[in-house]
Each structure stands twice: as C-alpha cells, then as structure tokens.
Amino acid sequence: MNEAAAANLWDQALLIATMVSKAAYQDVVEKYVKATLQNGSPLAMLHSCFNERTDRMFAPGPERNSAFTYDSWMENVAILIANNVKGSNKALLQLGDQLHKEHGGVESSHFCYLLGGLEPELHETEKTNMLLIGANHKNPQHRIEYLSVQSIQFTLVYEYARQLGNPQFTMPLL
C-alpha cells in the first residue's frame, strides 16, 4: 500500500487500503489529496469529506493555503451541496468559520452556516456564529451597528421561507 502510494499508483494504493482498514484508507486518501490536488480546491474539499477528515483541511499550519477559501469559496460550497456526503454540513460550517475569521466575510460565512444547517441564535455567547443574517455581531463598535434594517429583513425573509416549508417553524429570535 505504501509502496503503491510512493510510486503514485493511487488506484492500487486505494484498493489495497480499502481491504486493510478504514484508517489505512483515510491515510491513503489524505496522501492522494496532498500529492495530486491543490489544497483548498473544490475536489480536495470533496475528497476530505469522503474521507471524513475536513478538520485537517482547515487546521493552521504551513501545509494549508488560507487564500483558497475567499477566492474559491463559492466553488467549494457548490461541490459540497451537489455531493451531499456525510461530512458536508461540517465542512460548510468550518468553511464559514474560516471565511469569517480570516477574511471578515460575514455574508459569505452566514451563507455557509445556513447551508450547513446552523440557525440564527437567540442569545450571544463566545461561540455564537450568527444572531442576525448578514450582520457582524462579533466586533461592533456600537451595538446598533449590527442591528441594521437589512440584517433584520434578511432574517425575517429566512424565517418566512422556512415557514413556507414547515408552518410550525418559528424563530424565538424575532
């Protein structure tokens, strides 16, 4: 298995790894992604989801290219939605965190949070990702900054859309 991977015989390495163990398979897929795909590319994101190791894609360190998330975040979101696999929602939430933390992309991060299944939250805590859709509650100089008419409207439209699909849906926030 290791010899096949070292010789870039990925099909053989993957076949052997599937017969050895789940951990061996995950290691070979991770080596394959690092050796053949650009870090942060949509295909690398998808392979990481198949491999159930999206955490490593967003881990800080020299191997990670942080510029990918802002430049190709829409392509990454598209491939995660089109190929809804076990780790897709987790990867969408991690991508949202990355966009917000490193690029200040409130709207893009909230888009990822919503697609990843995260709802706007009622109370603000250190771990709160979203109070109002499209509003940055983490670093407002004045509390009123994130209470914009636009962010309230975005949140109300979201609530209305959810109620169209489920009439019992309510958001205690509004």
Side-chain angles (χ1 to χ4, degrees):
M1 173 178 72
N2 290 331
E3 288 79 15
N8 291 329
L9 300 171
W10 297 110
D11 52 347
Q12 294 177 23
L14 288 166
L15 180 63
I16 295 167
T18 58
M19 296 179 193
V20 174
S21 69
K22 182 177 180 177
Y25 174 77
Q26 289 176 323
D27 289 340
V28 171
V29 170
E30 190 171 342
K31 288 176 186 175
Y32 168 75
V33 168
K34 286 181 182 179
T36 62
L37 301 173
Q38 180 182 357
N39 192 14
S41 72
L43 279 176
M45 175 76 78
L46 184 61
H47 280 78
S48 295
C49 285
F50 288 147
N51 201 27
E52 298 176 12
R53 289 191 174 173
T54 56
D55 294 344
R56 296 181 185 192
M57 190 153 199
F58 296 101
E63 295 178 5
R64 186 177 61 81
N65 177 5
S66 65
F68 84 90
T69 54
Y70 196 73
D71 296 338
S72 64
W73 74 270
M74 287 186 272
E75 291 88 355
N76 281 289
V77 168
I79 203 161
L80 291 172
I81 292 171
N83 299 281
N84 191 16
V85 296
K86 185 177 180 181
S88 294
N89 287 352
K90 182 179 177 184
L92 284 165
L93 297 177
Q94 291 171 323
L95 180 59
D97 289 343
Q98 191 79 13
L99 288 166
H100 188 70
K101 194 183 316 173
E102 293 193 8
H103 303 287
V106 175
E107 293 86 359
S108 54
S109 65
H110 286 189
F111 185 73
C112 292
Y113 293 151
L114 291 171
L115 290 175
L118 187 69
E119 301 279 345
E121 298 179 44
L122 178 60
H123 301 291
E124 184 177 2
T125 66
E126 283 185 26
K127 294 183 178 188
T128 301
N129 289 320
M130 179 174 47
L131 288 175
L132 292 172
I133 298 171
N136 185 2
H137 70 280
K138 294 193 178 191
N139 291 323
Q141 293 188 6
H142 303 289
R143 193 63 132 169
I144 200 72
E145 278 186 28
Y146 79 90
L147 292 174
S148 70
V149 172
Q150 186 179 27
S151 61
I152 293 170
Q153 288 174 336
F154 285 161
T155 308
L156 287 171
V157 167
Y158 173 76
E159 180 181 29
Y160 176 71
R162 289 293 308 267
Q163 286 175 343
L164 289 176
N166 177 8
Q168 280 75 38
F169 177 81
T170 58
M171 287 178 51
L173 176 67
L174 300 173

